[in-house]
Amino acid sequence: MADGQGDKPMDADVKMQKPPELGLKLVHLDLKGAPPKISYLREIFPLFADLGADGILLEYEDMFPYEGKLQVLKSPNAYSPSDIKDLMVLAKTLKFEIIPLVQTFGHMEFVLKHKAFAHLREVKVFPNTLNPHKGESMELVKSMIDQIMAIHNNVKWIHIGSDEVYYLGEGEESKQLIEQGQTDKNSLFMFHVKAVASYIIATHSNVKPIIWDDMLRNISAAKLKESMLDQLVEPMIWVYNADLDVNKMSLQIQKYQRMGFSQIWFASAFKGATGAAQCLTSISYHLANHLQWLKVAETLPRNSIHLQGIALTGWQRYDHFSVLCELLPVGIPSLAVCLQTLKHGVFSLKEEEYVKQSLGCKSLRIDFLSVEDAGSFPGSEVLDHVTHIITYLQESVDKLHENIYIRGWFSNYHRKRKYVHPGIIQNFEGEVRSVCALWGAAISKLRTAMERIYYPDTVEEWMEEHVNPALTRLQCLVHDMDEALASIDIK
């Protein structure tokens, strides 16, 4: 752990002579929130490569250009087919593997929220889980997969999601079958995943499906082996905690090995895993997560199981309806640290210097949710301005309202009833106007920086959540002050 000043890197508990073989190191891009413009992705893909990435796990959700009956699924800002093809060309130049991710069971909110598909929900009031009993459900999934594969026709893997399939077994069809003893929740899960994976293998023989592993963890060994899922999918085992339990994870992997799975993936997190409304990224937290994954990799039985790679997830929303987590540029220093840690098996002074050079910064604060030097990498302006606003805006507005003259003679009670001593305003007018001007300029700079990377709806959402509450309070203070001063002239 770095010292209290945050100016030293965190080393692994045991420095490895040679880092464990991790396979592909994939950067996960979660496009269901704050999707960057294609122009920004073109800028940062080379940076990812420079930092040690081997590919991208691309979770489109509503940013994919669905057509025909699926057209309703796509966002107004969805990428065009030519946009995606351009990214594929760039990826090939960088020798990147691109793995598209499409949810096919749980986290189907972006599909099931629409009236045209609402009847395919497992439970009527919850738009997250697909009903596995309806023939239309499978046709929907097949159509989504077909359209994605039509553009990604040279990929080796497709990720079919299947995590957090909440409320499965609670729909009317499921309840009847379960009560009759014909099935159970785990059997329902495996039945649908097998159908989806079988379809992919039948139509794209060179493509292997990947699934998140959480729904497999509590299925009995006998049932999992009987399902023969090991012949159809590769599990991606995900844990994002800084205190990942290495022994427990090793036992889980051994279970998968005994059940026949010979190819597995890991999934860590470089951002988006420490709170649904988190704005600033804790590098030390995510570094600790990756150091634990390195320890897990050291325990793998290499002769019987192969680690295909590790996806560094960067969640942008916890689900389709939640608020935004840390913006991508805010998480890039964390991503840089984590990629270098995975590449070298440790994060020492050497790796720190490389990260600073790559990001164009003179200092790197591992243990603090702040930056002294945001660097010069693409998007660094967003990191700089977001950090400044999140750290100081609310604090400065609160401090202003603690002014003894505002508290004593210009309170909400006084302002609401126009019961104001105009002469007292001279004691705080200058400070109020100065604070308002300073934040007006800072917010304008942030907006400009964000507009270069993001579409207008992302900018407005972030401002609404993190700027407007404090800014509105400040603007109301100025308005009431101006109104009180104007009353002097009238009299």
Side-chain angles (χ1 to χ4, degrees):
M1 180 70 74
D3 67 9
Q5 299 304 311
D7 57 359
K8 295 181 182 178
M10 178 190 292
D11 289 325
D13 292 338
V14 178
K15 290 192 176 183
M16 303 172 187
Q17 296 298 316
K18 183 180 178 182
E21 179 55 50
L22 297 172
L24 296 171
K25 294 179 288 295
L26 306 174
V27 177
H28 169 243
L29 294 179
D30 177 19
L31 302 180
K32 66 176 170 282
K37 296 177 180 177
I38 288 290
S39 57
Y40 183 63
L41 295 183
R42 291 195 192 101
E43 288 185 82
I44 59 173
F45 274 23
L47 175 61
F48 293 168
D50 181 57
L51 291 169
D54 302 304
I56 305 293
L57 179 61
L58 199 51
E59 183 164 0
Y60 283 106
E61 216 190 58
D62 58 358
M63 286 300 289
F64 188 81
Y66 289 108
E67 299 176 345
K69 292 182 179 179
L70 301 184
Q71 189 170 2
V72 68
L73 304 185
K74 70 178 185 179
S75 161
N77 299 318
Y79 301 148
S80 68
S82 61
D83 286 336
I84 296 173
K85 289 174 183 176
D86 285 347
L87 280 186
M88 297 291 284
V89 171
L90 175 59
K92 187 175 182 180
T93 301
L94 297 169
K95 298 181 180 180
F96 269 4
E97 289 285 351
I98 296 290
I99 301 180
L101 190 159
V102 56
Q103 288 287 1
T104 58
F105 207 173
H107 283 298
M108 292 279 282
E109 297 96 337
F110 80 104
V111 177
L112 300 178
K113 71 177 184 180
H114 294 287
K115 185 177 180 181
F117 300 106
H119 65 290
L120 299 180
R121 299 174 181 178
E122 167 73 338
V123 177
K124 186 176 181 180
V125 296
F126 298 120
N128 55 298
T129 296
L130 190 67
N131 184 324
H133 306 286
K134 294 184 182 293
E136 281 184 78
S137 294
M138 194 59 200
E139 291 307 311
L140 166 66
V141 170
K142 288 179 179 178
S143 296
M144 293 168 65
I145 290 170
D146 287 345
Q147 292 196 25
I148 285 178
M149 292 305 297
I151 292 182
H152 298 85
N153 53 7
N154 292 318
V155 298
K156 298 176 184 177
W157 294 275
I158 181 172
H159 200 308
I160 57 173
S162 308
D163 62 316
E164 298 179 335
V165 189
Y166 298 140
Y167 310 108
L168 178 62
E170 297 181 22
E172 290 306 314
E173 296 100 323
S174 295
K175 283 181 178 179
Q176 286 185 1
L177 292 173
I178 291 172
E179 288 173 2
Q180 294 167 8
Q182 297 183 38
T183 190
D184 57 37
K185 178 179 174 180
N186 290 332
S187 297
L188 288 173
F189 175 78
M190 291 186 289
F191 173 81
H192 181 74
V193 170
K194 284 178 65 176
V196 174
S198 297
Y199 176 74
I200 292 169
I201 292 170
T203 54
H204 305 280
S205 58
N206 295 324
V207 178
K208 193 66 180 284
I210 300 171
I211 66 167
W212 299 115
D213 86 305
D214 55 293
M215 296 296 291
L216 301 177
R217 294 174 192 173
N218 295 321
I219 299 177
S220 70
K223 205 157 198 174
L224 199 52
K225 192 172 184 66
E226 181 185 346
S227 73
M228 300 180 72
L229 264 178
D230 60 285
Q231 299 181 25
L232 298 172
V233 301
E234 296 175 359
M236 183 172 277
I237 308 166
W238 60 274
V239 177
Y240 309 142
N241 299 334
D243 59 352
L244 185 163
D245 189 324
V246 175
N247 292 330
K248 182 178 180 181
M249 182 52 60
S250 296
L251 291 173
Q252 184 66 53
I253 292 171
Q254 289 172 26
K255 173 187 173 183
Y256 289 151
Q257 176 205 349
R258 291 194 303 273
M259 298 310 99
F261 290 102
S262 58
Q263 313 282 352
I264 63 170
W265 299 76
F266 292 163
S268 57
F270 72 89
K271 79 173 190 73
T274 57
Q278 184 72 24
C279 293
L280 303 177
T281 304
S282 171
I283 297 178
S284 61
Y285 183 94
H286 297 294
L287 173 55
N289 174 244
H290 287 80
L291 290 171
Q292 292 300 95
W293 273 118
L294 284 168
K295 293 177 184 177
V296 174
E298 284 288 295
T299 71
L300 287 180
R302 299 290 175 176
N303 60 332
S304 56
I305 201 161
H306 180 256
L307 178 59
Q308 298 277 51
I310 179 169
L312 292 82
T313 62
W315 298 102
Q316 197 55 76
R317 296 190 197 278
Y318 274 28
D319 64 42
H320 185 78
F321 291 105
S322 67
V323 297
L324 295 172
C325 304
E326 309 104 290
L327 296 171
L328 179 57
V330 174
I332 283 181
S334 174
L335 174 64
V337 168
C338 295
L339 279 170
Q340 280 292 294
T341 300
L342 294 180
K343 183 175 181 178
H344 298 285
V346 67
F347 191 72
S348 64
L349 286 173
K350 179 181 176 181
E351 288 72 39
E352 181 187 25
E353 287 303 315
Y354 189 85
V355 167
K356 289 193 293 186
Q357 180 183 353
S358 297
L359 300 183
C361 56
K362 296 178 181 178
S363 62
L364 187 66
R365 295 171 69 84
I366 299 293
D367 283 346
F368 293 87
L369 292 174
S370 64
V371 290
E372 293 177 340
D373 174 16
S376 57
F377 66 89
S380 59
E381 301 94 339
V382 170
L383 168 60
D384 189 20
H385 298 316
V386 163
T387 303
H388 183 65
I389 285 171
I390 291 299
T391 305
Y392 299 114
L393 175 58
Q394 185 65 56
E395 177 186 301
S396 72
V397 174
D398 288 344
K399 183 178 179 182
L400 190 62
H401 281 77
E402 288 299 309
N403 180 291
I404 189 170
Y405 294 104
I406 293 176
R407 288 187 64 190
W409 287 268
F410 206 63
S411 69
N412 288 333
Y413 177 89
H414 292 91
R415 289 154 59 191
K416 183 177 181 180
R417 290 162 178 77
K418 313 297 181 187
Y419 190 64
V420 175
H421 186 318
I424 209 76
I425 294 176
Q426 64 183 342
N427 293 292
F428 56 81
E429 179 185 2
E431 183 182 3
V432 170
R433 295 198 190 283
S434 176
V435 170
C436 192
L438 285 171
W439 283 117
I443 292 163
S444 177
K445 289 178 181 178
L446 172 61
R447 182 179 287 276
T448 299
M450 288 187 67
E451 286 173 347
R452 190 180 73 80
I453 296 173
Y454 294 111
Y455 299 100
D457 56 344
T458 295
V459 179
E460 291 311 311
E461 179 180 354
W462 201 91
M463 294 290 180
E464 181 71 26
E465 289 288 336
H466 304 295
V467 172
N468 292 0
L471 184 62
T472 299
R473 191 174 170 216
L474 181 58
Q475 290 171 337
C476 285
L477 185 61
V478 173
H479 173 271
D480 291 348
M481 186 178 71
D482 287 341
E483 194 174 66
L485 290 170
S487 69
I488 301 174
D489 298 333
I490 293 173
K491 295 177 180 179

